[in-house]
Amino acid sequence: MLERLGAKMWDPEKVVVITDHYLPEVDDESRKILATARDWVKDAGVKRFYDGIGICHVVLPEQGHLRPGMFVVGGDSHSPTGGAFGAYMFGVGATEMLGVLVTGEIWLKVPHTIRMAWNGRFADGVSAKDVMLFLCTKFGMDGGQYQAVEFAGTAVARLPMQERMTLANMTAELGGQTGLVAPDETTRAYLESVGVRDVDTVTWQTDPGAPLLAHHTFDADGLVPQVAAPHSPANAAPAGDFTAQRIDVAYIGACTGAKIEDLRMAARVMKGRKAAAGVRLYVAPASLRDQRAAEQEGTLGILLDAGAQLLANACGICAGYGDLRFAENEVAISSTARNFKGRMGAASSQVYLGSPYTVAASAVAGRICDPREMLG
Amino acid sequence: VTGRAWVFGDDVDTDAIAPGRYMKFAIEEIAKHCLESVDPVFASGVKPGDVVVGGRNFGMGSSREQAPQALKALGVSALVAQSFAGLFYRNALNLGLAAVTCPDAGRIRAGDRVSVDPEHGRIRNETTGETLACEPIPPHLMAMVRDGGLLAHLEKRMKGS
């Protein structure tokens, strides 16, 4: 397309390319798509290319490419994940990305801010995924109104970086353009650990008294583990309401549900336990870096001992692009972001969403359960 | 543009419009499966010029532009909805497919003949004689739609410079 336009890339130094959706390459079509990407990266002179080491939303920050105050677009709907670092980041389609590559420009309507403040402390066994399933259900899949959603409050400030990423990530499900968390010492510590220097945690804060489109305040202590029933993340209710539901598959995967923090949640539940007979447990760590960390600290070992089958560091079943899919009438519980009808398998498959704690506990029980029962 | 209306509900997602399992194929193949999980006869029955009418949050989900592209490939001439998911809306306009936000879209019935004027924000239901007010597409985006989408628009701009 650049050729058709007779154009050059506006600035190859500002472009990062990461492969994730069509991996692992299972057929000639996916091989061709990946080969096209690899050839293009070479021809176009893109130096920041990460091939097969994880999902873009996790790889981008772990390779040190994000910092507060950046304005970033990504070629995937879960690009708001970058907002966890105080960057204004959102998803665009392929043609729009071409426009950005050529011009370095994009339009947007100046967004309003919707603030979701969570104060207090989340209970043990309650995570960012529960927050987002709760919010999708409360406000609907268009509750974010394609505006900027800011996650704030003392409970959010206590969350580690990757949990904040899960909040920002699922702003896509909430229908916001981006999801933001104001940068603080947690942000600085993460970014410094990946080599980002001079992190500005002062400038990129919401001004006191700034006008808000809406300001919602929640008591973090009151939130219980949530499960979203088929076929929408907005179908959530307390996990304890679903305990009659048996499962065939438990899937711990995706940018939103298989980072190192997510794997640790699952391992806390699974330590010394096994997946129930007849339940397939899949783990697809969101990045190679997180997989290695999980390996070194023993987290991965716990999951494998529990009977988990390890899958590639890629979008996998969550994107629904590959070979591995849920069969007709299968019931799955998944730590991923979306359970739209037919997305992860046959149209008759039933996908429930829950946190990594909840998915792990359900795998052990063979039916959906509240993970707090298994946390000592 | 005037065409027959195909009416859908709220929260129609991009997995329904462009199913993931066909994403590796050419757009003609993806289009054959467009909306099949919602309306199995849509892809085979839709005629060039027809208009797709949605409820709230039409096109929610993925950034895949194959969703509006599949609708365009089937000959759909315009999209009308009570509201669109932001990312889908951008993609539709970038591909030169008019997406018109109309709070009263729910008044259009399946099979009605509707004329859509995206520039002035008007829909005329030829079947009922009713006129529905919509949000006009902003001029800078309408110029892009008229050129046939972002690629053609950029091409024009590059040649002009």
Side-chain angles (χ1 to χ4, degrees):
Chain A
M1 293 297 182
L2 283 168
E3 276 168 37
R4 174 173 155 188
L5 293 173
K8 281 207 167 53
M9 218 191 306
W10 125 89
D11 187 351
E13 296 296 317
K14 291 186 175 170
V15 176
V16 180
V17 177
I18 300 166
T19 58
D20 54 18
H21 275 64
Y22 291 95
L23 289 168
E25 300 142 281
V26 288
D27 52 23
D28 286 344
E29 286 83 13
S30 51
R31 272 186 279 278
K32 196 174 158 196
I33 290 165
L34 268 303
T36 305
R38 288 167 188 142
D39 288 347
W40 179 78
V41 159
K42 214 178 291 169
D43 293 347
V46 174
K47 288 183 221 131
R48 294 163 185 84
F49 177 47
Y50 305 100
D51 196 8
I53 64 161
I55 304 168
C56 62
H57 311 299
V58 181
V59 172
L60 190 67
E62 77 182 20
Q63 296 294 331
H65 296 305
L66 287 178
R67 61 165 66 226
M70 274 183 154
F71 184 79
V72 191
V73 291
D76 185 86
S77 62
H78 286 111
S79 299
T81 311
F85 296 87
Y88 198 98
M89 183 162 179
F90 60 103
V92 296
T95 298
E96 188 147 38
M97 187 60 89
L98 171 72
V100 171
L101 287 178
V102 171
T103 64
E105 295 169 4
I106 194 165
W107 66 271
L108 80 164
K109 216 166 146 182
V110 176
H112 293 285
T113 302
I114 297 174
R115 183 184 285 165
M116 304 287 189
W118 287 81
N119 293 314
R121 240 173 236 281
F122 295 111
D124 193 25
V126 175
S127 73
K129 175 56 57 65
D130 300 303
V131 171
M132 294 314 293
L133 295 177
F134 174 86
L135 291 178
C136 286
T137 303
K138 183 168 174 66
F139 296 106
M141 296 293 285
D142 56 356
Q145 303 172 53
Y146 206 52
Q147 307 297 324
V149 178
E150 181 184 0
F151 298 95
T154 52
V156 170
R158 288 195 177 97
L159 291 178
M161 213 51 235
Q162 286 193 336
E163 278 282 270
R164 298 177 183 188
M165 287 165 69
T166 300
L167 296 178
N169 175 290
M170 281 194 63
T171 307
E173 279 60 45
L174 195 57
Q177 186 176 43
T178 194
L180 296 162
V181 180
D184 60 10
E185 289 312 306
T186 302
T187 322
R188 184 200 306 280
Y190 177 102
L191 290 175
E192 284 185 354
S193 78
V194 297
V196 181
R197 301 275 162 254
D198 305 321
V199 177
D200 179 358
T201 59
V202 177
T203 311
W204 306 102
Q205 305 287 331
T206 300
D207 296 333
L212 299 169
L213 185 64
H215 187 178
H216 303 286
T217 306
F218 304 94
D219 168 25
D221 303 71
L223 187 68
V224 300
Q226 304 283 307
V227 164
H231 297 284
S232 170
N235 275 346
D241 291 4
F242 296 95
T243 49
Q245 182 61 55
R246 53 144 211 99
I247 57 160
D248 300 302
V249 192
Y251 183 63
I252 295 168
C255 49
T256 196
K259 303 176 290 299
I260 183 72
E261 296 285 353
D262 301 308
L263 301 178
R264 284 174 187 153
M265 291 179 211
R268 265 195 64 205
V269 170
M270 304 218 84
K271 190 165 186 180
R273 295 190 170 100
K274 295 227 179 287
V279 172
R280 305 197 307 285
L281 170 63
Y282 295 119
V283 176
S287 77
L288 185 59
R289 192 183 96 129
D290 280 358
Q291 180 176 317
R292 289 212 173 120
E295 219 173 314
Q296 278 160 16
E297 70 187 27
T299 296
L300 188 64
I302 294 170
L303 300 177
L304 297 178
D305 287 347
Q309 188 179 332
L310 188 63
L311 303 179
N313 308 124
C315 300
I317 310 179
C318 181
Y321 284 21
D323 264 7
L324 193 58
R325 298 165 58 76
F326 303 140
E328 295 280 351
N329 301 311
E330 271 193 332
V331 180
I333 186 157
S334 173
S335 67
T336 56
R338 298 182 174 147
N339 54 348
F340 301 151
K341 189 177 175 185
R343 176 178 170 90
M344 298 173 75
S348 61
S349 63
Q350 304 283 310
V351 182
Y352 291 80
L353 301 177
S355 75
Y357 286 123
T358 305
V359 174
S362 304
V364 169
R367 52 187 61 247
I368 293 175
C369 79
D370 186 324
R372 292 175 298 177
E373 293 167 22
M374 295 190 196
L375 292 171
Chain B
V1 294
T2 305
R4 249 181 345 150
W6 291 77
V7 178
F8 297 90
D10 294 341
D11 288 337
V12 172
D13 64 79
T14 49
D15 286 277
I17 305 170
R21 61 189 307 192
Y22 303 109
M23 285 288 287
K24 61 192 175 188
F25 298 119
I27 194 65
E28 293 73 22
E29 182 63 27
I30 298 172
K32 283 183 204 163
H33 303 280
C34 182
L35 289 164
E36 67 184 4
S37 65
V38 186
D39 180 355
V41 302
F42 171 75
S44 53
V46 67
K47 299 261 184 323
D50 285 357
V51 173
V52 164
V53 180
R56 275 174 56 177
N57 204 23
F58 188 85
M60 73 168 179
S62 164
S63 67
R64 64 187 71 162
E65 67 179 16
Q66 285 89 337
Q69 200 178 13
L71 291 165
K72 200 180 175 191
L74 291 169
V76 170
S77 62
L79 309 172
V80 175
Q82 283 172 37
S83 64
F84 290 93
L87 194 36
F88 178 90
Y89 180 81
R90 302 182 77 102
N91 282 336
L93 300 186
N94 283 324
L95 293 168
L97 180 58
V100 181
T101 306
C102 175
D104 291 327
R107 299 182 65 84
I108 302 170
R109 300 280 159 240
D112 285 357
R113 289 196 66 76
V114 289
S115 299
V116 181
D117 178 351
E119 198 151 1
H120 299 98
R122 270 197 305 261
I123 296 172
R124 193 174 148 72
N125 189 331
E126 309 289 352
T127 306
T128 63
E130 199 175 23
T131 300
L132 306 174
C134 330
E135 292 172 19
I137 296 178
H140 75 285
L141 296 177
M142 200 55 225
M144 180 176 79
V145 173
R146 238 185 277 113
D147 286 345
L150 179 62
L151 188 57
H153 190 62
L154 283 174
E155 207 167 22
K156 205 165 135 185
R157 184 169 138 185
M158 296 288 171
K159 279 183 186 148
S161 63

